[in-house]
Amino acid sequence: MITPTRRRLSDAPFLAAATGGTPSRRPVWFMRQAGRSLPEYRELRAGVGMLESCFDPELVCEITLQPIRRHRVDAAILFSDIVVPLKAAGIDLDIVAGVGPVVAQPVRSAADVRAVPRLRREEVGAVTEGVRLLVDELGDTPLIGFAGAPFTLASYLVEGGPSRHHERTKAMMLADPDTWHELLGVLTDITIEFLRAQLAAGVDAVQLFDSWAGALPLAQYREFVLPHSERVFAEIADAGVPRIHFGVGTGELLGAMGEAGADVVGVDWRVPLTEAVRRVGAGKALQGNLDPAVLFAGAEVIEREVRRIAHEADEALALGATGHIFNLGHGVLPDTDPGVITATVELIHSLSSPL
């Protein structure tokens, strides 16, 4: 049972939209808002490795706060990385600049799966201390915790790093399903423990990133991924906070992702929100879905696209969605002008509240 002392944030627009309430304004936050596009972030991170940053509570706190100060978004997203719980558990990996996570000893066999260590709560103490610092600093701004979904974590472990085609991952999944499900079971346990640690420290919502699930057809997703994602959401349900589920290129999977148990389903830019609500089904909130590249197209185009998405969101609410949280369809791109992000937030806030 997760029973932390939580802040009273019932008036926060983000939480209202996520839980079927009526927000006082259109809520907006951006994936990867804490980081790469901000000059203050690059200055702070100079000479400091990514994983080193993620295990420094003061850096976690400061980096998470930077976009709140600059952009006035409606939620903070914890600065971390999806491989942090794997590193904390003792898996030999590093985040290599220009490459991404690289695993020293990939997981390719049943014996390798049995050797994967479990995560103990104290091993992410630096992360939870960062959460506690943030809870003290954020005032009435909600804090979103997050974790990588079991499938996405598995893809890094099996491939040994980022992969374009996920061929080794799919080969294990299809040719050795028993080993696959054993691996996903271990990673589900790690993900649950990592999220529970953040929840106990006081995060106000959580997002599960299944970054690479879009590489799968629907039938494989249902058989090899969905049961494990369902267990993640089921085992943190007692926390009573909004749970968000997001993947990239997952338009064909939205219906199944909607079944996994989250309260909010993130939608990338490829699927209109009016179509997304039909696929996900009524009774859930939607999050998204401005194409990150639009932020390079100039003020006129940005305003047109923001208004289009706001209109689609209102139509989705009429079709049965319980709320809408404005976001990008993926993360902020590194070369995005921070001033453009701030202006976009102001534009979103200026639009009339959703229906």
Side-chain angles (χ1 to χ4, degrees):
M1 187 72 175
I2 303 167
T3 55
T5 301
R6 298 201 178 280
R7 298 175 292 162
R8 295 185 180 276
L9 300 175
S10 57
D11 293 332
F14 163 80
L15 292 176
T19 56
T22 302
S24 58
R25 65 185 183 190
R26 291 185 186 271
V28 54
W29 70 278
F30 297 132
M31 289 176 279
R32 292 182 183 157
Q33 66 188 16
R36 303 178 298 174
S37 66
L38 299 181
E40 57 265 41
Y41 167 79
R42 292 193 291 270
E43 181 179 350
L44 190 64
R45 278 279 322 279
V48 183
M50 178 63 181
L51 284 173
E52 182 182 350
S53 302
C54 293
F55 285 95
D56 183 320
E58 286 76 21
L59 276 180
V60 167
C61 180
E62 173 58 24
I63 293 169
T64 303
L65 288 170
Q66 286 177 345
I68 305 302
R69 298 192 193 106
R70 182 185 273 265
H71 305 312
R72 303 298 180 187
V73 286
D74 294 293
I77 178 74
L78 180 69
F79 174 73
S80 188
D81 189 90
I82 61 174
V83 299
V84 160
L86 302 182
K87 180 70 172 181
I91 293 172
D92 187 0
L93 62 83
D94 196 12
I95 298 176
V96 178
V99 177
V102 176
V103 179
Q105 297 294 326
V107 175
R108 302 275 171 79
S109 68
D112 293 338
V113 172
R114 288 191 290 272
V116 173
R118 272 51 171 183
L119 179 68
R120 299 190 302 273
R121 182 77 55 92
E122 59 270 22
E123 292 170 328
V124 289
V127 177
T128 56
E129 178 58 25
V131 171
R132 293 186 187 98
L133 293 174
L134 282 160
V135 168
D136 290 339
E137 292 284 344
L138 279 168
D140 59 1
T141 302
L143 175 62
I144 305 168
F146 82 88
F151 173 80
T152 290
L153 296 180
S155 74
Y156 283 117
L157 288 183
V158 176
E159 302 292 339
S163 173
R164 186 172 181 179
H165 301 294
H166 307 281
E167 58 267 31
R168 294 183 180 89
T169 304
K170 293 180 179 181
M172 176 190 285
M173 188 176 68
L174 297 171
D176 192 355
D178 289 342
T179 297
W180 172 261
H181 283 296
E182 184 177 357
L183 173 60
L184 267 285
V186 171
L187 295 175
T188 298
D189 291 340
I190 289 173
T191 299
I192 290 167
E193 187 62 19
F194 188 44
L195 289 173
R196 282 178 169 169
Q198 296 174 54
L199 287 161
V203 299
D204 304 293
V206 294
Q207 177 158 305
L208 190 69
F209 285 84
D210 214 346
S211 305
W212 306 128
L216 299 178
L218 178 58
Q220 291 178 13
Y221 178 85
R222 284 192 175 280
E223 181 177 356
F224 297 109
V225 178
L226 180 57
H228 303 284
S229 296
E230 284 179 321
R231 185 158 73 88
V232 172
F233 287 119
E235 294 202 23
I236 61 171
D238 60 347
V241 305
R243 298 159 296 167
I244 309 168
H245 199 12
F246 174 74
V248 185
T250 51
E252 298 304 317
L253 308 180
L254 284 175
M257 291 178 71
E259 297 169 16
D263 308 289
V264 183
V265 177
V267 184
D268 76 11
W269 68 94
R270 298 168 178 86
V271 179
L273 294 174
T274 47
E275 177 60 24
V277 71
R278 293 185 178 95
R279 297 183 187 186
V280 170
K284 294 184 182 293
L286 299 179
Q287 179 176 277
N289 63 339
L290 183 69
D291 185 339
V294 167
L295 297 180
F296 293 82
E300 182 178 343
V301 173
I302 292 169
E303 179 167 1
R304 183 186 71 212
E305 290 299 297
V306 165
R307 290 184 180 278
R308 177 184 61 79
I309 290 170
H311 178 70
E312 284 183 4
D314 290 348
E315 289 188 326
L317 293 173
L319 291 169
T322 59
H324 176 248
I325 299 161
F326 207 109
N327 208 304
L328 300 180
H330 196 203
V332 174
L333 297 171
D335 295 329
T336 308
D337 181 346
V340 170
I341 300 173
T342 302
T344 301
V345 172
E346 292 172 353
L347 171 61
I348 294 162
H349 284 162
S350 75
L351 301 179
S352 59
S353 296
L355 300 173

